[in-house]
Amino acid sequence: MPEITIGATVVRLVQGDITGQRVDAIVNAANSSLLGGGGVDGASHRAGGPEILAECRQIVARQGGCKTGHAVITTAGALAAQKVIHTVGPVWTGGTRGENVGLESAYERSLGLAREHGLRSVAFPSISTGAYRFPIDQAALIALNTVVRFVRQHADALDEVRFVLFTEADLAVYARALDEVRDTMLG
Ligand code: ADP
């Protein structure tokens, strides 16, 4: 299984459906309306039930949605996880409009929320690489580097960060990126 251990935290790649993961928090690749969509977003609301959307609506009423690169947290409803962290990745428009920074921020703020809430295991999908069209090779490196940096800065916060890739091809891309990150770390 492709994984890397950093201090007491394991960063692991698996193929599967994020909605079925038994972790403290799953991350939803949401859109800024927080009112649902396709892909991971649609699957999370379908599997988790109406409670998730009800809390999203309360957040919208309070703060009017969620900006790109930001994250909010709700109940996980009927899911096995305790919480859903909804983050909004950037829409890819060629790479010159802050897409990299936006993606980094989506991962970083999601992990920050997990830490604040004492959630010790977190599962991420491949944010922005579906409907938002971010090139997956580049997205995988940003995702893994951001997670590794966070875990090093907050060594006691997390037991596991799991990337749940929907297809074998996506898993292979992330596995290559993980090898690259590992090589860089070993110098
Ligand atoms: P975005 O709008 O951020 O691009 P999407 O949900 O469209 O988000 O896609 C992000 C990635 O999640 C894509 O690689 C897609 O294939 C994958 N995906 C879709 N459904 C699921 C699921 N149930 N579990 C895990 N990954 C999923």
Side-chain angles (χ1 to χ4, degrees), residues 16-18 29 38-41 43 125-132 164 166 170:
D17 181 338
I18 193 152
V40 174
D41 205 3
S126 179
I127 296 167
S128 280
T129 66
Y132 284 0
V164 183
F166 210 35
D170 288 355

Side-chain angles (χ1 to χ4, degrees), residues 5 11 13 38-39 42 48 58 65 67 95 98 121 130 133 148 158-159 164 183:
T5 303
V11 179
L13 313 180
Q58 288 171 10
K67 289 184 198 148
S121 54
R133 301 182 311 273
V148 165
L158 295 157
D159 299 323
V164 183
D183 288 349

